[in-house]
């Protein structure tokens, strides 16, 4: 399927008219390039296009106009030159770019080809309109044929949906027994899942834009509907406001830049909306404003959609989904990931390439603060909330480009002096942090560093004591001796922490494709290992995801 898509994308690349200006801008360069040292055979070009899609597009954009990572259009890359570009790709940068060669993700030959590729004109993928979206929709089991109550006696609220990233699958694991109840095919390089407000359904989103709906009430949970909302995507969420529980879902697209509103029980598409627009500050047209994180408001029937390149937060009202109203809030460019404060009124989202966190008030529907985090490229995941003994309720983020955790005050009523300010800056084990996590029942805060420079940092996580954050790292836990330790998630009771070991699919025969290590949160000791999971990354406890507990 993916091969067909790639071939299709290449053909349409040269037919797409909407991005003519970009094509022309790069034409002169590519003509020179194709005659000289940057020439690639069609097979090499295709190989690079795939590597670029897998490793580079997320940060630099499909059109390479730059976002979390810098602009890589030929007018910029040719100035940098082959030698410098090769070094960046191989060794990474201080700004948070991973050293793809050094880490063993790509070979020397692939790095050489990529250097040429990014000095050529970027191919432009096709559009994906409602006709395509509708044609991709499959209702495998209609709601009336689904169970009317759970067909098993497992605690659905303590189940985990685990992303098996490189396998393109979702594992459903019983949080009590640690059994893998079901392994279900999902989208290509599947990215995240979210839960319906009832906790019955799991919605997954793949990097190919495929959304699957999994019913946890089935004896063996399985897909009941699927749809492809775009060709490249990262986010999905559901309607959570009172009266709209389980009614709708929304999928955010990276390419084409758009979102699609779906029926929550069947995934039937209702409305498609393009996010093509102008940057909030300079009001320049942007050809690729991607939908980054999405959260569901608890104050109104609204989704908070973070439009990365334009720096706008869109509050999309879904009460009349065929005629959605959108309030656009100016925030900051390159919005990425974020989470609610403990009251779920304020959404804190990283504008990562600007080293800032924007705070959106979902009740008053406005921006309340733009905070300089003091570190390079904040990356909170959804962040972590706890009560600091000195500053009251706080939320925190780690950083990709700095070995630092920034703790931000979130209580403007009782702690106005610390609200929306960095109140503590704590040392991490390393840069390359992606996720931070806690639970209201825990005394600890957990932080990973899967993009750390040293292998031992990538395989470890650290724990901080909420009551004594000033003391720095309380304990470093080595999770595995291979792969990357990534993403923590608590069980429903908040007394276990699950950490993924993201290995290589190719190392499955050595038992090193991946596993989940379960820690006892009280003693900070290992409690269980769920072995032989192919490349687990994000994992989501049903209850904690439903209620946004982190
Ligand atoms: Fe993610 C969240 C985008 C790479 C694991 N990631 C997000 C969100 C966005 C995003 C926009 C917020 C979704 C939301 O809340 O609605 N991620 C991107 C990229 O563009 C990027 C940098 C590059 C790419 O090419 O995709 C990228 N992400 C990764 C990974 O390589 C990770 C580590 C492994 C994987 O499985 O893909 C990864 N991203 C995650 C996870 C979350 C996430 C686990 C959700 C965290 C949570 O606790 O909610």
């Amino acid at each position: 399927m993916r091969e067909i898509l790639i071939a299709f994308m290449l053909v349409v690349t040269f037919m797409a008219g909407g991005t003519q200006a970009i094509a022309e801008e790069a034409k002169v360069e590519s003509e020179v390039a194709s005659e000289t040292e940057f020439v690639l055979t069609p097979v090499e070009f295709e190989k690079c296009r795939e590597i670029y899609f897998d490793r580079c597009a997320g940060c630099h954009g499909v059109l390479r106009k730059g976002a979390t990572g810098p602009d890589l259009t030929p007018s910029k890359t040719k100035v940098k030159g082959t030698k410098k570009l090769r070094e960046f790709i191989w060794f990474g940068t201080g700004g948070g770019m991973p050293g793809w060669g050094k880490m063993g993700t790509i070979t020397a030959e692939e790095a050489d080809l990529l250097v040429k590729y990014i000095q050529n004109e970027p191919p432009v993928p096709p559009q994906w309109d409602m006709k395509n979206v509708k044609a991709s929709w499959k209702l495998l089991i209609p709601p009336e044929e689904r169970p009317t109550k759970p067909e098993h006696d497992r605690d659905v609220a303590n189940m985990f949906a685990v992303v098996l990233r490189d396998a393109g699958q979702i594992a459903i694991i019983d949080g009590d027994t640690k059994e893998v109840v079901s392994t279900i095919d999902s989208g290509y390089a599947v990215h995240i899942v979210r839960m319906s407000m009832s906790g019955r359904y799991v919605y997954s989103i793949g990097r190919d834009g495929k959304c699957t709906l999994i019913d946890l009430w089935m004896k063996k949970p399985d897909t009941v509907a699927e749809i492809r909302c775009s060709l490249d995507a990262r986010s999905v969420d559901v309607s959570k406001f009172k009266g709209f529980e389980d009614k709708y879902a929304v999928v955010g697209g990276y390419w084409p830049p758009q979102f699609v509103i779906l029926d929550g029980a069947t995934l039937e598409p209702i409305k498609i909306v393009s996010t093509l627009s102008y940057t909030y500050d300079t009001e320049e047209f942007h050809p690729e404003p991607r939908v980054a994180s999405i959260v569901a408001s608890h104050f109104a029937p609204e989704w908070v959609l973070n439009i990365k390149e334009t720096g706008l937060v869109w509050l999309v009202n879904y009460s009349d989904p065929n005629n959605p109203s959108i309030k656009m809030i100016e925030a900051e460019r390159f919005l990425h990931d974020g989470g609610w404060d403990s009251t779920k009124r304020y959404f804190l989202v990283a504008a990562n390439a600007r080293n800032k966190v924007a705070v959106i008030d979902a009740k008053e529907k406005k921006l309340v603060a733009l905070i300089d985090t003091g570190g390079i490229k904040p990356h909170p995941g959804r962040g972590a909330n706890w009560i600091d003994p000195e500053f009251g309720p706080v939320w925190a983020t780690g950083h990709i480009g700095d070995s630092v955790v920034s703790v931000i005050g979130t209580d403007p009523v009782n702690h106005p002096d610390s609200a929306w300010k960095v109140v503590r800056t704590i040392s991490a084990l390393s840069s390359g942090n992606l996720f931070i996590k806690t639970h209201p029942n825990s005394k600890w805060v957990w932080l990973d560093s899967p993009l750390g420079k040293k292998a031992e940092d990538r395989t470890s996580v650290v724990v901080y004591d909420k009551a004594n954050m000033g003391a720095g790292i309380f304990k470093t836990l080595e999770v595995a001796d291979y792969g990357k330790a990534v993403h923590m998630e608590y069980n429903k009771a908040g007394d276990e922490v699950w950490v993924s070991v993201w290995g290589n699919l190719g190392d499955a025969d050595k038992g090193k494709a991946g596993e989940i290590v379960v820690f006892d949160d009280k003693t900070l000791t290992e409690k269980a290992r769920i072995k032989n999971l192919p490349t687990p990354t994000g994992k989501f406890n049903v209850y904690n995801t439903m209620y946004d507990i982190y």
Side-chain angles (χ1 to χ4, degrees), residues 193-204:
V193 310
R194 297 293 185 227
M195 309 302 171
S196 69
M197 202 51 215
S198 67
R200 170 179 184 170
Y201 292 113
V202 177
Y203 298 77
S204 80

Side-chain angles (χ1 to χ4, degrees), residues 347-537:
F347 180 64
L348 294 100
V349 55
N352 59 14
R354 294 279 162 95
N355 307 329
K356 290 201 165 58
V357 162
V359 186
I360 304 295
D361 180 346
K363 190 173 175 196
E364 298 289 332
K365 304 177 204 270
K366 61 176 194 192
L367 177 82
V368 289
L370 262 183
I371 306 155
D372 204 322
T373 65
I376 299 170
K377 296 202 176 123
H379 193 286
R382 283 171 289 169
N385 287 291
W386 71 92
I387 310 285
D388 183 278
E390 201 177 331
F391 302 106
V394 292
W395 176 94
T397 180
H399 292 80
I400 295 180
D402 255 322
S403 183
V404 72
V405 174
S406 300
V407 181
I408 293 168
T410 59
D411 180 9
V413 177
N414 300 312
H415 297 83
D417 292 347
S418 40
W420 319 132
K421 291 189 187 113
V422 175
V423 293
R424 291 186 189 277
T425 302
I426 315 286
S427 286
L429 180 65
S430 147
S431 59
N433 318 132
L434 291 184
F435 303 105
I436 185 164
K437 191 59 62 87
T438 190
H439 186 281
N441 296 347
S442 171
K443 58 188 287 233
W444 313 111
V445 178
W446 295 63
L447 180 79
D448 66 6
S449 45
L451 299 182
K453 292 210 165 47
K454 290 190 275 177
E456 64 264 36
D457 295 341
R458 295 198 289 272
T459 51
S460 300
V461 294
V462 296
V463 180
Y464 300 90
D465 181 353
K466 285 179 189 173
N468 195 9
M469 287 300 283
I473 294 170
F474 178 82
K475 194 168 180 184
T476 302
L477 297 161
E478 203 192 335
V479 184
D481 59 2
Y482 68 93
K484 299 189 253 308
V486 64
H487 195 251
M488 291 72 55
E489 175 69 314
Y490 275 84
N491 63 343
K492 181 180 149 197
D495 58 10
E496 277 176 6
V497 178
W498 293 32
V499 186
S500 299
V501 182
W502 179 9
N504 280 320
L505 274 186
D507 291 336
D509 54 338
K510 297 177 217 145
K512 293 189 169 182
E515 59 196 296
I516 287 176
V517 182
V518 180
F519 289 94
D520 181 315
D521 188 63
K522 295 234 158 19
T523 58
L524 303 181
T525 54
E526 190 179 316
K527 188 171 172 184
R529 256 170 210 253
I530 308 170
K531 287 186 166 278
N532 298 320
L533 294 171
T535 64
T537 52

Side-chain angles (χ1 to χ4, degrees), residues 73 226 234 266 282 384 463 471:
T73 48
E226 63 179 53
R234 297 294 180 283
T266 64
T282 55
V463 180

Side-chain angles (χ1 to χ4, degrees), residues 165 191-192 194 207 234 254 293-294 336 382 487 537:
R165 194 236 187 241
H191 186 230
I192 64 163
R194 297 293 185 227
R207 279 178 172 76
R234 297 294 180 283
Y254 261 22
S293 43
I294 303 179
H336 191 73
R382 283 171 289 169
H487 195 251
T537 52

